[in-house]
Amino acid sequence: NAGVTQTPKFQVLKTGQSMTLQCAQDMNHEYMSWYRQDPGMGLRLIHYSVGAGITDQGEVPNGYNVSRSTTEDFPLRLLSAAPSQTSVYFCASSLRGLAGNTIYFGEGSWLTVV
Amino acid sequence: AQSVTQPDIHITVSEGASLELRCNYSYGATPYLFWYVQSPGQGLQLLLKYFSGDTLVQGIKGFEAEFKRSQSSFNLRKPSVHWSDAAEYFCAVGDKIIFGKGTRLHILP
């Protein structure tokens, strides 16, 4: 099983550029989310989705957009990248709300904004 | 609002010694609580979780955690650590999974 797949694994952007981090899961999970991880800050929730067509903001949503047109995919968009968005990004999913089921994490995407 | 506090940024213990990592949470209802471990350059692995029932939860790799509602705590313990336990440990709470800032565990030989 592929589980949660994130692409790209590594990316360097220039300030002001846009890009999309892709996240796909093949487990028919309803719940998906995006985190960023920074040294000393733990993982902070950016956006999450409880099902196709439904998204909501997490702790640090500014500068990021998401959409959930299918159950499988949950892309994270940076419309105008800033150096403060240099981070490691993790996508996660679970079957029916994170609390009731095991959460699966992707392997991470390392993003550097110069 | 949900929040998690891990008071210790770094902890160093000798191999074979016991370990306790602290976690305090803020949550409006009966909390869902988790401990994750992350090795350098790796993703997160779930050690254990608490949803309800027995307040002492057993996890993988010999870890356990105890939920104490009166103290709003969910501390992680291990009776005897191994060098391979050196990693960063994250406590998390809630249905959206809000993480603490982590505790980095160092093991002395």
Side-chain angles (χ1 to χ4, degrees):
Chain A
N1 289 338
V4 179
T5 303
Q6 291 181 232
T7 56
K9 193 170 182 66
F10 299 98
Q11 183 72 50
V12 179
L13 283 179
K14 293 182 179 179
T15 298
Q17 285 185 319
S18 63
M19 79 157 297
T20 299
L21 297 177
Q22 302 289 347
C23 177
Q25 51 88 11
D26 61 356
M27 298 172 282
N28 201 32
H29 285 176
E30 296 176 354
Y31 200 108
M32 297 184 74
S33 56
W34 276 103
Y35 292 87
R36 60 176 290 174
Q37 183 176 24
D38 304 289
M41 299 298 293
L43 283 85
R44 292 180 290 173
L45 182 65
I46 304 172
H47 286 284
Y48 65 97
S49 168
V50 299
I54 305 170
T55 64
D56 205 348
Q57 296 181 350
E59 301 171 274
V60 288
N62 293 340
Y64 306 95
N65 283 348
V66 293
S67 59
R68 186 91 181 272
S69 56
T70 67
T71 299
E72 293 78 20
D73 301 300
F74 191 46
L76 179 72
R77 297 183 185 86
L78 286 71
L79 297 180
S80 180
S84 61
Q85 293 179 303
T86 294
S87 187
V88 182
Y89 292 85
F90 287 95
C91 181
S93 75
S94 76
L95 182 59
R96 190 176 56 246
L98 298 180
N101 295 278
T102 300
I103 181 173
Y104 294 81
F105 282 90
E107 294 185 344
S109 296
W110 275 253
L111 176 65
T112 301
V113 182
V114 297
Chain B
Q2 304 169 179
S3 68
V4 178
T5 301
Q6 293 181 246
D8 305 304
I9 298 174
H10 294 273
I11 280 188
T12 301
V13 299
S14 298
E15 190 170 16
S18 63
L19 170 70
E20 182 168 30
L21 302 182
R22 296 183 291 165
C23 172
N24 294 99
Y25 66 88
S26 173
Y27 192 72
T30 300
Y32 304 109
L33 295 158
F34 308 82
W35 275 100
Y36 286 85
V37 61
Q38 185 181 35
S39 297
Q42 302 296 313
L44 290 97
Q45 182 180 23
L46 178 67
L47 287 175
L48 47 79
K49 58 186 177 183
Y50 171 81
F51 293 158
S52 64
D54 192 345
T55 56
L56 185 61
V57 181
Q58 301 297 320
I60 63 171
K61 303 185 178 186
F63 286 93
E64 66 178 25
E66 185 171 13
F67 168 58
K68 293 185 177 180
R69 183 187 299 275
S70 61
Q71 298 176 20
S72 298
S73 69
F74 189 57
N75 294 348
L76 182 72
R77 301 193 295 246
K78 187 170 185 178
S80 176
V81 298
H82 186 263
W83 64 266
S84 61
D85 293 325
E88 191 156 23
Y89 292 79
F90 294 96
C91 182
V93 67
D95 49 358
K96 293 185 291 187
I97 306 288
I98 301 298
F99 284 84
K101 294 184 178 181
T103 298
R104 184 165 295 280
L105 175 63
H106 306 271
I107 307 294
L108 295 175

